[in-house]
Amino acid sequence: MDLKAACEALSASGAPPERKFEGLDTVRKLLVNIQRSPGEEKFRRVKKSNAAIQNRLFPECWSFLLAAGFQDAGEVLVYPGDPGPLLGQAISAAEDFIRRLPAGASIAGSSSSAPPNTPASGAFPA
């Protein structure tokens, strides 16, 4: 699945806005960690059995991570390559989705640092 198809799947997801926020904010944080610290191996692996990750991500989030460059390695997703333009596009797309969610969809205490309501270039929101 490419990034555009993953974005379309997120748009079509029946998850409630609060759930979408929680999942997309988690995806955004995972991707931003790689962008900010590309040499940190711990940011390049997402353990699928991690309870917090399982609780936050819905199926379309997993597909989005794969479209953003992660690879399924059994028990973990691994980001094997150097961060490139696709990673930046995926971050922009996730931030765009977060901005487009209805007001009040965020979770109390969230520390999302998505920029204000301005369109992100290269993103594929529906």
Side-chain angles (χ1 to χ4, degrees), residues 4-96:
K4 184 171 179 145
C7 288
E8 290 169 358
L10 281 169
S11 291
S13 168
E18 296 81 10
R19 180 94 164 104
K20 283 185 178 181
F21 177 86
E22 183 177 39
L24 289 167
D25 192 48
T26 301
V27 164
R28 184 193 60 77
K29 287 175 185 175
L30 291 169
L31 298 175
V32 166
N33 282 342
I34 293 169
Q35 186 180 53
R36 288 184 181 159
S37 302
E40 286 285 335
E41 193 64 32
K42 67 181 179 181
F43 294 139
R44 293 173 165 268
R45 300 173 64 83
V46 178
K47 196 172 183 182
K48 291 192 244 179
S49 62
N50 179 305
I53 293 292
Q54 285 182 349
N55 288 334
R56 291 183 183 123
L57 301 186
F58 51 96
E60 293 82 4
C61 291
W62 293 103
S63 297
F64 190 90
L65 287 171
L66 292 171
F70 276 89
Q71 293 178 356
D72 192 337
E75 295 295 316
V76 296
L77 293 185
V78 177
Y79 194 91
D82 290 329
L86 179 61
L87 182 66
Q89 289 173 354
I91 292 168
S92 293
E95 290 173 345
D96 232 20

Side-chain angles (χ1 to χ4, degrees), residues 95-102 117 119 125-126:
E95 290 173 345
D96 232 20
F97 273 102
I98 290 169
R99 280 191 298 273
R100 291 170 187 252
L101 288 171
N117 291 331

